[in-house]
Amino acid sequence: AATRLQFYPRGLDFLEEACVAEGDTAAREELLNEAAAYAVEHGVAEEWRSRMEHRTRTSSEGLPWREGLVSLLTAEGRLEEARQALKGSVKTSEDSVEGIERLVKSAEDAADWEEAARLARRLASLVGTQDPSPSMRFADFLERAGRRHDAETVWQALAARHARTPRVLSAAGDFFE
């Protein structure tokens, strides 16, 4: 068993180098998620955390490594700590659409509809009016937060702005039923 334990840090070496080498953001995020799951499953989470913290401090691109820490906290089931770490991570890059999307998902998972609405509104302003999806989510979160009048205002604006977009009109119709 002790011999087997020696292989897990080697697995972390491999995963860490793969994360460093990966140029595609989505693929690197997936690798960091897999590495976090691996570390938790094989009892080397503290070593992986130490590596993530070191990379966060020393790398010119600290954001992916901070998000790696978020993945580790999530894999450990420490969801509230993961949400707080994710908030801190996104604050360092205020205009990161991907980071804000992760925060929206985190707030949605926690059923924190006010926070999800606030973040979705921020996301909608970053993305612009061409893509209605963030505004549709914003309206949905407003409704879930009990702010039906505010949601109605957003849906009216969406229906006017995207009068030829069937999915917007269908969703607005569902809301107004």
Side-chain angles (χ1 to χ4, degrees):
T3 303
R4 222 177 325 140
L5 287 176
Q6 293 172 348
F7 290 112
Y8 299 135
R10 289 186 199 159
L12 292 180
D13 292 340
F14 172 78
L15 289 165
E16 183 177 7
E17 289 308 313
C19 291
V20 168
E22 184 55 64
D24 180 65
T25 303
R28 183 174 42 223
E29 183 179 319
E30 184 61 32
L31 277 170
L32 287 165
N33 289 337
E34 292 295 324
Y38 175 88
V40 170
E41 181 179 333
H42 296 293
V44 289
E46 284 306 314
E47 182 171 344
W48 187 242
R49 182 182 334 284
S50 174
R51 290 173 186 228
M52 294 297 94
E53 289 170 350
H54 175 74
R55 290 281 183 178
T56 297
R57 287 189 310 274
T58 61
S59 174
S60 62
E61 286 189 0
L63 182 61
W65 302 106
R66 282 191 295 277
E67 290 182 355
L69 283 168
V70 171
S71 296
L72 180 59
L73 289 166
T74 302
E76 291 175 313
R78 297 163 58 184
L79 302 181
E80 186 54 35
E81 287 177 71
R83 273 187 76 200
Q84 295 306 317
L86 184 57
K87 283 181 182 180
S89 174
V90 171
K91 282 182 184 173
T92 63
S93 63
E94 291 291 324
D95 294 334
S96 166
V97 170
E98 295 83 11
I100 295 170
E101 285 174 343
R102 287 185 69 186
L103 280 173
V104 169
K105 175 80 171 101
S106 175
E108 185 176 18
D109 290 347
D112 184 347
W113 307 122
E114 285 291 337
E115 179 71 358
R118 184 186 70 76
L119 292 164
R121 184 169 105 211
R122 185 166 153 202
L123 185 60
S125 70
L126 285 174
V127 171
T129 59
Q130 295 300 319
D131 180 5
S133 297
S135 293
M136 292 170 69
R137 290 180 75 196
F138 174 48
D140 180 51
F141 295 143
L142 285 170
E143 182 181 19
R144 291 177 187 214
R147 297 171 52 191
R148 183 158 176 84
H149 178 73
D150 293 335
E152 184 175 323
T153 302
V154 173
W155 278 117
Q156 287 171 343
L158 273 166
R161 192 175 311 120
H162 298 279
R164 295 182 182 208
T165 307
R167 75 182 169 96
V168 172
L169 296 177
S170 176
D174 290 345
F175 174 81
F176 287 109
E177 281 185 342

